Amino acid sequence: MLIQGHLPTMPSWGEQLAVFRALDGRAYVVDAYCPHLGANLAVGGHVVGNCIECPFHGWQFRGEDGKCITIPYAEKVPDFAKIKTWPSCEINGMLFVWYHCDGVDPMWDVPEQKEITSKEWVYHGQTEHFVNVHIQEIPENGADIAHLNAVHASAILNGSDLRYIHSKLWDFVKHTWKAEWQPEPEPNNHCAQMLVKHALTVFGKHFSLLDVNVTAKQVGPGLVFLIFEHEFLGRGIILHTVTPVEPLLQQVIHEIYYQKNMPAIIPKFILKAECIQFERDITIWNNKQYLAKPLLVKEDSAIQRYRRWYAQFYSEKSKRFTFQKDGLDW
């Protein structure tokens, strides 16, 4: 799994990680706790050259391979003195870390969004949410076509509170959605595509000027590229990341990049609209029950296809949320 994180520390999937940028310009990700006496390298630690120095006793660990190269008070550094390093990469303005419960090396890369790298699209802000749900539930939204018109048809001016989204005040404004979800074939079978067509009606009249097409590309279990295209409002992207923090707690971040020749109010409005719609889903996620064998009709077939596709990201050693009487792991 590839996750997106923010410096200097990332508590993810039960791990505490320290992130630092070395003198060579690279960002490195290592286990946060010093193997000597357990100090947190991300709290008070220092970057020295291409190493991170422990704040407790001054041990220095190399970012490239985790090897300890200096112990200030010792004549010799033991060969076994090292910390775990995590495969990572910086792309699209983010730092990604590869996690596999079996210790398998990275099997695929994060695609580059050339418009971000070339600065044709520029950053216009982000939103952050914490959702009390299993990580699989969040991207399943993309395959759950029927929920779009049930949850997201009402005008965004009705807000995100599900008690009021059917308010009569803005009932004359309706969003309509058409969507299609499909997994990608080899060699990109770790990816899936969703095509979304959005239309807006006011007093039952369709305003084609406000039609928006969205192409959503999911890469692995926790990263989605939402590319917006509009005839007059231009093009841009929302990078959607889901990072497990604790059992049944996910950090979800949306970052928006947009054409630099467009007024900033346009991407900020899009991000706000996305936030309102997403918070409607959060209310449901935070209070729903996961059903391993849901009662589905034929129109829900994409959900079953999604679950078969998502199953590739599990293994026998995948962490499970169970009560443990003799340990603290999850």
Side-chain angles (χ1 to χ4, degrees):
M1 173 204 285
L2 285 149
I3 66 165
Q4 179 262 351
H6 295 270
L7 304 181
T9 183
M10 297 189 297
S12 303
W13 8 269
E15 307 283 351
Q16 287 285 338
L17 309 179
V19 183
F20 67 98
R21 190 175 300 283
L23 193 62
D24 62 9
R26 283 191 58 188
Y28 294 100
V29 183
V30 299
D31 275 356
Y33 298 118
C34 178
H36 176 217
L37 283 174
N40 193 321
L41 302 172
V43 182
H46 299 278
V47 176
V48 180
N50 291 335
C51 300
I52 186 167
E53 181 181 281
C54 177
F56 204 5
H57 299 91
W59 290 33
Q60 294 179 7
F61 299 92
R62 197 160 51 202
E64 181 181 356
D65 55 11
K67 180 78 171 64
C68 180
I69 62 169
T70 299
I71 300 177
Y73 54 88
E75 293 183 4
K76 181 182 178 182
V77 177
D79 290 337
F80 55 82
K82 63 187 304 183
I83 55 175
K84 181 177 179 178
T85 59
W86 295 80
S88 63
C89 68
E90 284 188 274
I91 193 166
N92 300 326
M94 295 180 174
L95 175 66
F96 293 90
V97 181
W98 175 267
Y99 172 83
H100 195 293
C101 62
D102 297 327
V104 175
D105 289 336
M107 297 181 290
W108 38 268
D109 298 317
V110 175
E112 178 187 55
Q113 190 69 40
K114 60 181 179 61
E115 292 90 347
I116 295 177
T117 304
S118 67
K119 301 190 184 309
E120 178 184 341
W121 293 351
V122 295
Y123 177 79
H124 280 286
Q126 71 173 45
T127 61
E128 180 181 25
H129 297 86
F130 288 88
V131 188
N132 297 308
V133 72
H134 192 281
I135 184 174
Q136 178 181 312
E137 298 259 38
I138 295 176
E140 184 168 293
N141 235 27
D144 182 8
I145 310 301
H147 97 282
L148 290 172
N149 287 316
V151 179
H152 304 297
S154 134
I156 59 172
L157 293 169
N158 281 331
S160 58
D161 191 322
L162 295 184
R163 293 173 297 174
Y164 308 118
I165 63 172
H166 299 297
S167 167
K168 298 294 184 182
L169 181 61
W170 298 103
D171 196 45
F172 59 91
V173 180
K174 294 289 184 183
H175 302 277
T176 60
W177 307 85
K178 292 182 179 179
E180 180 182 341
W181 182 92
Q182 290 289 346
E184 293 191 15
E186 291 277 7
N188 295 322
N189 57 317
H190 61 281
C191 298
Q193 288 270 4
M194 182 182 180
L195 303 177
V196 181
K197 293 185 177 182
H198 165 268
L200 188 73
T201 61
V202 180
F203 293 111
K205 183 177 180 180
H206 176 213
F207 283 78
S208 58
L209 187 64
L210 298 176
D211 289 355
V212 179
N213 293 328
V214 181
T215 301
K217 181 182 179 74
Q218 178 156 0
V219 182
L223 172 64
V224 179
F225 293 66
L226 294 161
I227 299 177
F228 296 83
E229 294 193 36
H230 191 275
E231 185 176 356
F232 298 105
L233 300 181
R235 300 174 69 236
I237 189 171
I238 289 180
L239 298 173
H240 161 104
T241 59
V242 183
T243 304
V245 179
E246 295 176 0
L248 303 182
L249 178 62
Q250 317 302 325
Q251 178 198 46
V252 182
I253 293 176
H254 293 94
E255 295 188 348
I256 191 166
Y257 289 80
Y258 218 78
Q259 284 181 238
K260 62 183 177 182
N261 60 344
M262 301 300 292
I265 192 173
I266 294 173
K268 290 186 181 298
F269 172 77
I270 292 174
L271 186 62
K272 178 63 176 178
E274 168 72 14
C275 180
I276 291 172
Q277 296 284 23
F278 188 71
E279 287 176 353
R280 293 181 184 180
D281 291 319
I282 289 177
T283 302
I284 294 173
W285 286 325
N286 282 351
N287 296 281
K288 77 183 293 296
Q289 179 186 47
Y290 175 77
L291 298 178
K293 296 181 179 180
L295 177 60
L296 302 176
V297 295
K298 67 177 182 178
E299 289 80 5
D300 295 320
S301 61
I303 295 175
Q304 287 287 33
R305 285 187 282 115
Y306 162 83
R307 292 191 175 191
R308 288 194 295 269
W309 172 81
Y310 200 93
Q312 67 182 295
F313 304 117
Y314 297 111
S315 79
E316 290 298 320
K317 294 181 181 178
S318 292
K319 292 185 177 182
R320 290 166 171 79
F321 184 36
T322 57
F323 249 163
Q324 295 199 12
K325 298 180 180 179
D326 302 318
L328 298 176
D329 295 334
W330 60 272

